[in-house]
Amino acid sequence: MKVYDKIRKWLNSVGLGLLISVAGTACQPDKKAAPVPVKPKTEKIRRPSVKNSVLNIKYRTDTLERRSRALLYYTNGKIIRNYVKDNDRYRMQLPLFVHEKWHDHNAQTGFRNYYLLTPYEYFKLCMHDEISANLAAVLTARYEYLSATEKERPQIIKEYENTYMGFYFKAVKDGSINPLSTKAEDNKKEWYLLANGTRDMWMKKYAPVYAGRIFRMLTGYIDRKDFIEDSKKNYISIKRKMYTIGGIDFLSYMEKDIDYDNDKRVLIKENQRKVKSLAKINKEMQREIDGLYAYLKDVHISRQQELFQHIFIAAKMKLMLKGVNAENLVSHPQIITSCYHKAVASFKRDKTFKNFVKNTPFESCGWTVLQEPDEEAYKNILQKIYTFNKVDLLSRIKDFAESDVPVITQVWDTRDENHFFISPYQVMFDDSEKMKLFLQPVSMMQAEGIKPEKQQKAGKVRISDTQYIDIPNFFEPILVGATAAQQQEILDMVKKFREMPEVLKSCRTADIQKYRKQHPQTER
């Protein structure tokens, strides 16, 4: 008999066996019982802190009556207010000051100078700069709504619902969003509308207006930067900085990126950077090229590829002739001829230029396609392209031929006016004595008496002394980290601006002077 059984037998004899049996069973682990869950440690998320909920910013007023549509503009780190006398369209508006200050914030990301981006990414970031500034402006108007009394709020909705902020205030009006709510799910819904609504509004209303100007800005960017094939990491990083407003990452709420392909010239610029013979292109030559693109819409698609190349040839030729006045051009046509053939030869030797031309999608560039080829119109456009200092260069180029271009890939099928087929490109230049002549260096000053013309400096714009205004400080996380007291400080500041006498926000000079005489203690 085992020791355990002997002990049990003895315990049973004294009446303690049952108690021990029950206790032993209770102490044994239950194989079927589920393990006791371990409660996870919860980490407390620290609320971001805000140092200054209100930001005092500088601006100046332009004392020249510049009748542009911009009420304010940001330039070289400064905010300038346009003041047009007795025109209340130019009255002060708090959201516009925030808009321009946000351009300053975006400029500090360094995207214009310190990052490598593809031309199309730079083009889109210039648009995101505007979209995020508009978003900051809408958030400022939101503070106006929050600072108002229940009775005043319908009036604020009325003021904004038919403006570019209408998408937001109409949603407030119909109850789709509730800016007064403190619930996380309501806040997320509001941030989602602000991010996507601002993007959609701007792309529809303002992108067609800004695209031309932004396209021209690419010229300066290409001058400053080397070519880069892909810079998605830089692009997304800069975007996130632009859309982190008041501590909210609005980019994370944005469903999709912008895509502006209405102007295919942007994509042409993207490909243009791969052309070796255009690697050191300067701003002046790029502006010339950009300006000449407009002529492509006036020719039949069968001639667009040819004209496209003449645009580059003419621009390079004009760059060579810089400083030569009209009189010398007329009296020394041999210089014109030499420059023309040298420009043509430089592109014909460049395989990257040939590939660039060959891969340009003329049929989908958005240029108007004429129903019928108009040869007379084409010749007139060529003449305009080859006009410099009011001199018709075309008639002074010896041995000029329209087809004397590096690439011919478009062969028009006359059986179908809406179709063309692609054949292997043909290089129209051979190793002739003529080519050797044209490849010789050309001195633009070889003609006696030719002197470069001097350029006059532009005058300075007169602006006022520095002025100051308070705005919500979206540089800090005021939307998620402001204390109750800091939130109230923002609301009080916004309300104070709103309650400022309208005459002081206006451009009615005489009325402003009269008011200041009557109220000498008024803050300026």
Side-chain angles (χ1 to χ4, degrees):
M1 184 181 289
K2 293 181 179 180
V3 176
Y4 178 78
D5 292 333
K6 288 181 181 181
I7 294 172
R8 180 180 288 277
K9 186 176 180 181
W10 179 80
L11 288 171
N12 284 336
S13 67
V14 295
L16 297 174
L18 181 61
L19 178 64
I20 296 300
S21 177
V22 172
T25 304
C27 293
Q28 291 178 6
D30 185 359
K31 294 180 181 178
K32 294 182 180 179
V36 178
V38 178
K39 192 174 181 180
K41 293 182 179 180
T42 55
E43 290 186 12
K44 221 173 183 181
I45 300 173
R46 292 187 64 183
R47 185 179 182 177
S49 61
V50 175
K51 289 184 179 180
N52 299 299
S53 57
V54 172
L55 183 65
N56 186 253
I57 65 168
K58 300 176 182 179
Y59 75 96
R60 293 184 176 187
T61 298
D62 190 341
T63 57
L64 293 176
E65 293 190 7
R66 296 159 57 92
R67 293 183 180 273
S68 69
R69 290 193 62 79
L71 280 65
L72 293 161
Y73 60 92
Y74 173 79
T75 178
N76 297 324
K78 297 182 179 68
I79 296 173
I80 308 296
R81 179 194 175 194
N82 272 336
Y83 185 95
V84 180
K85 188 176 178 182
D86 297 329
N87 187 336
D88 266 4
R89 182 186 172 277
Y90 292 83
R91 69 184 182 87
M92 295 172 68
Q93 299 174 40
L94 190 62
L96 293 185
F97 281 95
V98 175
H99 176 117
E100 298 306 328
K101 188 60 182 176
W102 202 250
H103 283 314
D104 184 42
H105 167 275
N106 292 342
Q108 291 177 33
T109 66
F111 83 98
R112 296 192 187 278
N113 296 301
Y114 302 115
Y115 286 89
L116 280 177
L117 300 159
T118 68
Y120 189 44
E121 285 170 342
Y122 181 78
F123 181 89
K124 290 199 291 184
L125 280 176
C126 289
M127 289 191 163
H128 283 302
D129 179 25
E130 291 294 339
I131 296 168
S132 60
N134 274 267
L135 178 48
V138 179
L139 285 167
T140 306
R142 174 182 180 269
Y143 272 124
E144 286 187 41
Y145 180 82
L146 294 176
S147 69
T149 63
E150 188 174 348
K151 187 177 180 181
E152 293 169 334
R153 283 174 186 147
Q155 179 58 33
I156 291 175
I157 292 174
K158 187 177 179 181
E159 285 179 20
Y160 285 115
E161 66 179 338
N162 293 319
T163 69
Y164 68 96
M165 300 185 191
F167 74 91
Y168 177 80
F169 282 96
K170 285 174 183 176
V172 174
K173 186 178 181 179
D174 65 25
S176 301
I177 58 169
N178 181 12
L180 300 170
S181 175
T182 56
K183 293 180 180 178
E185 57 187 36
D186 289 340
N187 293 154
K188 288 179 179 179
K189 192 175 181 181
E190 187 180 5
W191 306 150
Y192 178 88
L193 174 71
L194 280 161
N196 294 285
T198 306
R199 179 203 60 218
D200 293 344
M201 173 279 298
W202 196 90
M203 291 303 294
K204 182 178 179 181
K205 186 179 178 69
Y206 294 110
V209 178
Y210 277 79
R213 188 180 77 181
I214 294 174
F215 176 76
R216 290 190 294 274
M217 289 164 64
L218 280 178
T219 301
Y221 183 76
I222 290 172
D223 280 348
R224 298 192 299 271
K225 297 296 179 183
D226 296 325
F227 175 72
I228 184 169
E229 289 284 355
D230 178 39
S231 56
K232 190 175 181 180
K233 186 177 179 181
N234 288 345
Y235 176 67
I236 293 173
S237 172
I238 296 167
K239 264 202 310 181
R240 196 166 301 285
K241 290 175 183 177
M242 287 181 171
Y243 284 104
T244 300
I245 307 173
I248 300 293
D249 176 12
F250 284 97
L251 186 63
S252 64
Y253 291 93
M254 201 171 281
E255 282 185 331
K256 60 183 180 181
D257 193 12
I258 60 174
D259 183 19
Y260 193 78
D261 59 0
N262 294 19
D263 195 336
K264 297 289 184 182
R265 296 177 304 173
V266 176
L267 302 181
I268 290 175
K269 269 193 170 310
E270 192 92 356
N271 294 328
Q272 181 185 314
R273 299 199 69 185
K274 301 174 186 178
V275 179
K276 290 180 180 179
S277 56
L278 297 173
K280 295 183 179 179
I281 192 170
N282 67 13
K283 292 182 182 180
E284 191 172 348
M285 183 176 172
Q286 187 61 60
R287 287 194 190 99
E288 179 74 26
I289 291 168
D290 295 344
L292 295 177
Y293 277 148
Y295 288 115
L296 285 163
K297 74 181 189 314
D298 297 324
V299 299
H300 194 260
I301 195 170
S302 62
R303 305 300 294 270
Q304 282 184 348
Q305 188 191 66
E306 185 180 285
L307 184 65
F308 183 68
Q309 295 172 83
H310 278 297
I311 284 171
F312 285 92
I313 294 167
K316 194 158 190 175
M317 181 182 170
K318 291 174 185 179
L319 187 64
M320 294 177 185
L321 292 171
K322 183 181 178 181
V324 183
N325 60 33
E327 184 181 348
N328 284 307
L329 286 172
V330 173
S331 59
H332 298 88
Q334 71 275 16
I335 296 178
I336 298 172
T337 298
S338 295
C339 288
Y340 169 75
H341 289 296
K342 187 180 180 184
V344 170
S346 70
F347 289 121
K348 286 186 174 180
R349 293 195 307 272
D350 188 354
K351 289 182 180 179
T352 59
F353 179 77
K354 294 169 187 173
N355 290 332
F356 166 53
V357 175
K358 186 170 64 171
N359 294 325
T360 297
F362 295 95
E363 70 279 8
S364 61
C365 278
W367 292 310
T368 305
V369 179
L370 300 181
Q371 292 299 316
E372 297 288 340
D374 188 339
E375 291 305 309
E376 190 63 33
Y378 182 73
K379 290 181 186 298
N380 290 336
I381 290 169
L382 269 181
Q383 190 175 36
K384 290 177 183 177
I385 286 175
Y386 284 101
T387 296
F388 179 67
N389 281 350
K390 298 182 180 181
V391 175
D392 174 14
L393 305 180
L394 198 63
S395 63
R396 292 171 171 82
I397 298 173
K398 189 178 180 181
D399 301 323
F400 174 83
E402 293 172 9
S403 60
D404 191 19
V405 291
V407 181
I408 298 179
T409 61
Q410 291 185 348
V411 180
W412 195 254
D413 187 345
T414 54
R415 294 170 297 178
D416 182 355
E417 65 178 15
N418 295 314
H419 174 72
F420 66 88
F421 60 89
I422 306 299
S423 65
Y425 64 80
Q426 305 165 32
V427 179
M428 304 299 290
F429 220 95
D430 57 13
D431 291 325
S432 62
E433 291 297 319
K434 182 179 176 183
M435 181 177 180
K436 293 176 185 177
L437 172 67
F438 295 140
L439 292 180
Q440 292 175 358
V442 179
S443 171
M444 293 302 99
M445 300 296 114
Q446 62 183 348
E448 187 178 351
I450 296 180
K451 294 180 180 179
E453 296 175 346
K454 292 183 179 179
Q455 295 182 349
Q456 295 183 353
K457 293 182 180 179
K460 293 182 179 179
V461 175
R462 296 168 297 175
I463 55 176
S464 72
D465 293 334
T466 302
Q467 296 169 286
Y468 299 89
I469 189 170
D470 287 336
I471 63 170
N473 189 5
F474 290 114
F475 285 64
E476 293 200 36
I478 57 175
L479 294 173
V480 289
T483 63
Q486 289 172 328
Q487 285 285 7
Q488 191 59 49
E489 184 183 13
I490 297 169
L491 298 178
D492 289 345
M493 177 273 297
V494 171
K495 193 174 185 68
K496 182 180 178 182
F497 179 87
R498 187 168 181 81
E499 292 176 350
M500 181 193 299
E502 282 300 317
V503 65
L504 296 181
K505 301 176 190 176
S506 75
C507 293
R508 302 192 302 273
T509 306
D511 292 344
I512 293 171
Q513 292 172 345
K514 182 179 178 181
Y515 182 90
R516 291 202 182 280
K517 284 182 180 179
Q518 294 173 348
H519 305 82
Q521 302 302 317
T522 303
E523 292 183 18
R524 290 183 179 271

